[in-house]
Amino acid sequence: MENYLANVLPHLQQWWKPIILLAYLIGLAFAVLSLTQAVNPRHRHGRSGAALTFLAAVLLLNLPSLMDSLSMTIFNQSSEQTLSYSPPSSPGSVYIQFAVYAIMTVGVIGIIRGVCLLRDSAGQPGNFSRGIVHMVGGIIAVNLITFLRGIGATIGGDVQSYISTILG
């Protein structure tokens, strides 16, 4: 099983670029949509919906910068440092690396989902808080190693030693 995961890991990392390219395409679609909403007088949400759609387009078109700014705000490190995680060589390290990369991938998708929910907050005000939660949860998932090390340093004792043993 370990050999299978070792073969899958490089391909899992390759999904990050298509996911970010998909965010760019969604951002372009939102930009066009915001322009049509701004000039259409019969639009349901008026100018605020067009402005939120344009804001979502800008955020999605600058997704790596958004991830970096969120990572620097919460964890004081860039997301490129986080996405280049390699565990120490130990038995089961392939499983840990696979789990970390899968969680990071879900985190990037969560950030994109959060921006899309923020765009919909003009029509449904409850989506604003859901979008913020998705963005914060996504950035925690992208910075999983730093987050777990911070929890270990906060609690200390056995928890810190277990986290250090597992993550390196």
Side-chain angles (χ1 to χ4, degrees):
M1 181 69 171
E2 197 166 307
N3 291 334
Y4 295 122
L5 288 179
N7 292 334
V8 169
L9 278 174
H11 300 291
L12 187 61
Q13 282 180 313
Q14 292 175 358
W15 278 100
W16 291 336
K17 289 189 181 192
I19 289 172
I20 291 175
L21 288 175
L22 180 65
Y24 290 157
L25 289 175
I26 294 170
L28 283 174
F30 282 171
V32 170
L33 182 66
S34 71
L35 292 175
T36 58
Q37 287 175 347
V39 296
N40 188 358
R42 294 177 292 164
H43 183 65
R44 183 172 68 170
H45 302 296
R47 303 279 185 239
S48 64
L52 286 174
T53 303
F54 185 73
L55 177 68
V58 168
L59 291 176
L60 288 174
L61 288 171
N62 294 301
L63 185 66
S65 300
L66 173 66
M67 287 174 45
D68 280 343
S69 64
L70 289 173
S71 292
M72 290 299 283
T73 300
I74 297 175
F75 295 105
N76 197 22
Q77 75 178 31
S78 69
S79 59
E80 287 182 17
Q81 293 171 337
T82 304
L83 293 175
S84 63
Y85 169 71
S86 61
S89 59
S90 64
S93 65
V94 172
Y95 300 113
I96 294 168
Q97 189 175 16
F98 179 78
V100 167
Y101 284 163
I103 292 170
M104 286 179 180
T105 304
V106 170
V108 171
I109 294 169
I111 293 169
I112 295 168
R113 173 90 172 119
V115 170
C116 291
L117 283 171
L118 287 177
R119 181 192 78 87
D120 292 336
S121 66
Q124 299 172 346
N127 281 349
F128 182 78
S129 60
R130 289 185 198 120
I132 296 296
V133 167
H134 270 81
M135 289 177 68
V136 171
I139 208 63
I140 287 173
V142 168
N143 291 291
L144 180 69
I145 303 301
T146 307
F147 180 70
L148 290 176
R149 287 182 180 153
I151 288 176
T154 301
I155 296 174
D158 289 339
V159 174
Q160 185 175 13
S161 64
Y162 289 141
I163 290 174
S164 297
T165 302
I166 292 172
L167 299 177

